[in-house]
Amino acid sequence: PPDEETVYSAEIVIDKINEQGNKLANAKFVLYKEITENETVSRAYYFFNPDTNKVEWIPLTDSELANAIANGLINQVTTDSDGSAAFGGLANGTYYLLETQAPDGYNLLNDAISITIANTDTAQTLSATAAVENKTGSVLPETGGMGTTLFYGAGLLLVLTSVVLIITRKRISYFE
C-alpha cells in the first residue's frame, strides 16, 4: 500500500501596520507554540526545513532564542514593503507571533500575539491574518527597579546625617 502523509497547508499572514493603518516594512517575527511535557509548559519555535520540505518545532528557552535566530536554527520572517510576511505549513492549533525587531521609529510589542487555526476542511487552504499594530514614541522606564532603591538609600543617609548633626549640636550647646 502507498504511504500516505498528511500535508498541512494552513498559513499565518502578518499584516504589519501603524496607528494610521499604513503598512510597515522591516518588522521581524518568530512563531512559536506551547508544548507540555510532564506538566511543564515550554515553547517550540517554527523552523521550515528545506531539505525535508516540512515544518519542524524546535524547543528553546528564552535565553537560547537570540542565538537560535542568529544561527538560522529557527525561522525569522521580515515584513516586506506591503507590511506582509507569512508562516506556512501549519496544522490546526494555537500559535504565537513574537515580534523580535520593530521597524525604525516604532516600539517593540510587549507581548506575543495569539492566533488559532481551526480548519475542518482538509482540501481547503486556510490563511489566518494577524493585523499587528505598532506605535511610535518613547518607551517609558519601568518603575520600582534598582534606581528607586538608590534614591531611597540616599534619602535615608541624608536623614540619618541630619539627625546626628542635630544631636551633636544640642550636646555641644549644652556644655557651653
Side-chain angles (χ1 to χ4, degrees), residues 25-112:
N26 300 321
K28 296 185 179 188
F29 292 90
V30 294
L31 184 71
Y32 71 88
K33 67 179 181 177
E34 293 182 339
I35 54 174
T36 305
E37 288 183 20
N38 301 328
E39 298 181 17
T40 302
V41 178
S42 59
R43 294 179 180 175
Y45 289 84
Y46 177 96
F47 175 69
F48 181 79
N49 188 334
D51 296 332
T52 62
N53 223 20
K54 293 182 184 177
V55 173
E56 297 174 8
W57 294 95
I58 312 298
L60 296 170
T61 63
D62 290 343
S63 61
E64 297 171 323
L65 180 60
N67 189 38
I69 292 170
N71 292 319
L73 301 176
I74 62 172
N75 293 113
Q76 175 178 251
V77 298
T78 303
T79 56
D80 60 17
S81 59
D82 292 329
S84 187
F87 290 97
L90 301 172
N92 289 348
T94 300
Y95 301 94
Y96 300 89
L97 273 176
L98 179 65
E99 187 175 40
T100 55
Q101 182 180 323
D104 290 340
Y106 290 88
N107 298 331
L108 190 66
L109 297 178
N110 292 330
D111 300 314

